[in-house]
Amino acid sequence: ADGGMLDLCPTSRLPRVRAALDRGATRAGRNAAAVDVTLGLLVCVSDDLQAARTAAKAALAMYGALPFYNQLFQTSGFEQEAAAFSRGQAQAVSDRMVEELALFGPPAHCREQLATFRAAGIQLPIVRPVPVGDQPYALAVRKVIETFA
């Protein structure tokens, strides 16, 4: 493999993931620094920080209802949130969870959040636009492109 492709991995877990990838590369006789890491990230761009946070939380709650992602959230340090999702409590997304798993808010804030993921070793972020409020999906895509272009 040329690298690792992660999805919804919190910043707090990235050092452990990177260490595991490095060990695997070393065992395979490869230069660990040559192993690229991608990460799928939800992105909610809006000048209304609270509306963007709300949209990101709603998207994370949808993922939390799915067994694979529920387990991923549980093993990523969000045990209480995952347990609540299993009980159908979609409002269980904590501020800590959304801050570690999504980019949201005004463009400058989203770029700052992305810099945190890059500093943690993500070479190729895979951004997934999420509409904020009644924003059409096409506008959400345009805002993401304008924010990171």
Side-chain angles (χ1 to χ4, degrees):
D2 293 326
M5 186 172 184
L6 310 174
D7 192 32
L8 298 179
C9 183
T11 51
S12 60
R13 190 175 187 180
L14 288 174
R16 289 182 290 154
V17 171
R18 185 70 223 198
L21 289 169
D22 291 350
R23 285 191 306 273
T26 300
R27 277 195 301 266
R30 298 197 45 212
N31 177 359
V35 176
D36 291 330
V37 182
T38 69
L39 175 60
L41 291 163
L42 303 174
V43 184
C44 304
V45 180
S46 172
D47 289 330
D48 183 339
L49 180 63
Q50 189 55 43
R53 181 188 300 268
T54 298
K57 283 184 172 188
L60 287 169
M62 180 197 67
Y63 280 96
L66 302 171
F68 172 83
Y69 285 99
N70 188 282
Q71 180 65 37
L72 175 68
F73 293 158
Q74 184 177 6
T75 60
S76 293
F78 302 108
E79 296 89 355
Q80 291 179 329
E81 294 90 337
F85 294 145
S86 295
R87 295 189 302 272
Q89 297 172 344
Q91 73 281 6
V93 179
S94 65
D95 286 343
R96 182 180 72 86
M97 184 179 196
V98 74
E99 288 164 6
E100 286 205 43
L101 291 171
L103 311 179
F104 61 92
H109 185 66
C110 290
R111 288 189 292 272
E112 289 170 9
Q113 291 170 311
L114 181 59
T116 301
F117 283 96
R118 286 190 172 280
I122 300 302
Q123 289 97 352
L124 180 60
I126 301 170
V127 295
R128 296 198 309 263
V130 175
V132 176
D134 60 359
Q135 185 181 70
Y137 183 71
L139 181 56
V141 170
R142 182 184 324 256
K143 285 184 169 285
V144 167
I145 291 170
E146 291 170 351
T147 296
F148 299 110

